[in-house]
Amino acid sequence: VPSLPPQTRLFVFRDASVDFKLRLLSNTINHMSDAVTIWDQDARMLMINNAAERLETHLSQEVIGKNVSELYRPKNDTPLVVPLLIQNKRPILNLRQVFMTSTSKEVEVISNNYPIFEGGKMMGVISVMEDRRRLEEMSKRITDLQQALVDQCHAPSATKKTSPLKAKYRFGDISYHCE
């Protein structure tokens, strides 16, 4: 900045579009059904979305800025993924994790974890997690519904007309015939 005349003040304005984009991105992440956490290069939490708060029973104002080791304790002698990702600088995908939160809740997830780079320098980590127990419940429900459908089709009282796997109408019932 060239020297300013005496009694002159310099005002610097931020680009309003940057703030808008940041709010848009934050709102988008908070509306995701998957749990999302974002960490800096020192494994300190920068963001936790609403789904992650529900899954882990953490509140963002209580965990932002804390180190991953303060918030999670791995189970089954597996390492925490965030420090591992920071060390290896490569994505870790479809990882099954079981850990205890600082609120003493056991959490089991399937996660996709990515390093975040800017200008060739690692800036942090993003983890996108699905609640494994919820996935198993949905899978069981689908299997139960499929079995109920098969049982209904093979029941002694089932006839061809009432089978849910058969067409309700024949082609002749819906086509026009000239006589």
Side-chain angles (χ1 to χ4, degrees):
V1 174
S3 62
L4 297 172
Q7 308 298 322
T8 306
R9 288 193 259 171
L10 176 67
F11 291 96
V12 178
F13 295 95
R14 283 184 55 178
D15 182 356
S17 67
V18 172
D19 287 337
F20 171 75
K21 290 175 186 175
L22 184 59
R23 283 193 316 275
L24 183 65
L25 179 61
S26 179
N27 284 329
T28 301
I29 291 172
N30 271 319
H31 283 90
M32 293 175 61
S33 60
D34 289 339
V36 177
T37 55
I38 301 176
W39 308 84
D40 70 10
Q41 69 275 14
D42 296 318
R44 291 182 305 240
M45 185 178 285
L46 298 174
M47 181 181 186
I48 180 171
N49 76 343
N50 295 338
E53 285 183 345
R54 285 188 302 274
L55 175 66
E56 301 174 5
T57 62
H58 279 141
L59 297 176
S60 62
Q61 61 267 27
E62 295 172 355
V63 296
I64 299 298
K66 290 194 177 177
N67 190 281
V68 67
S69 61
E70 295 176 68
L71 300 172
Y72 306 107
R73 193 175 63 255
K75 295 205 56 167
N76 308 330
D77 296 323
T78 58
L80 292 171
V81 71
V82 172
L84 190 61
L85 193 70
I86 290 170
Q87 179 183 353
N88 295 335
K89 296 176 176 46
R90 288 188 307 246
I92 301 173
L93 307 176
N94 296 314
L95 177 67
R96 180 180 175 266
Q97 296 176 267
V98 182
F99 54 87
M100 295 294 291
T101 68
S102 60
T103 59
S104 299
K105 180 178 180 187
E106 183 176 290
V107 178
E108 187 173 357
V109 297
I110 303 294
S111 68
N112 290 312
N113 309 275
Y114 305 90
I116 303 167
F117 291 96
E118 185 176 312
K121 181 182 178 204
M122 185 166 172
M123 303 302 290
V125 172
I126 183 168
S127 294
V128 181
M129 301 162 281
E130 292 181 86
D131 183 355
R132 187 156 190 264
R133 291 182 178 116
R134 189 175 68 88
L135 292 173
E136 286 176 356
E137 288 170 7
M138 289 187 331
S139 177
K140 182 179 178 341
R141 180 155 167 74
I142 289 169
T143 302
D144 291 347
L145 289 170
Q146 288 173 333
Q147 187 60 50
L149 187 60
V150 168
D151 292 347
Q152 183 179 357
C153 291
H154 293 24
S157 63
T159 64
K160 289 181 182 178
K161 290 182 182 176
T162 61
S163 172
L165 298 178
K166 303 289 182 195
K168 206 171 201 177
Y169 300 99
R170 294 174 292 152
F171 183 72
D173 296 332
I174 58 174
S175 62
Y176 178 73
H177 298 285
C178 292
E179 293 183 22

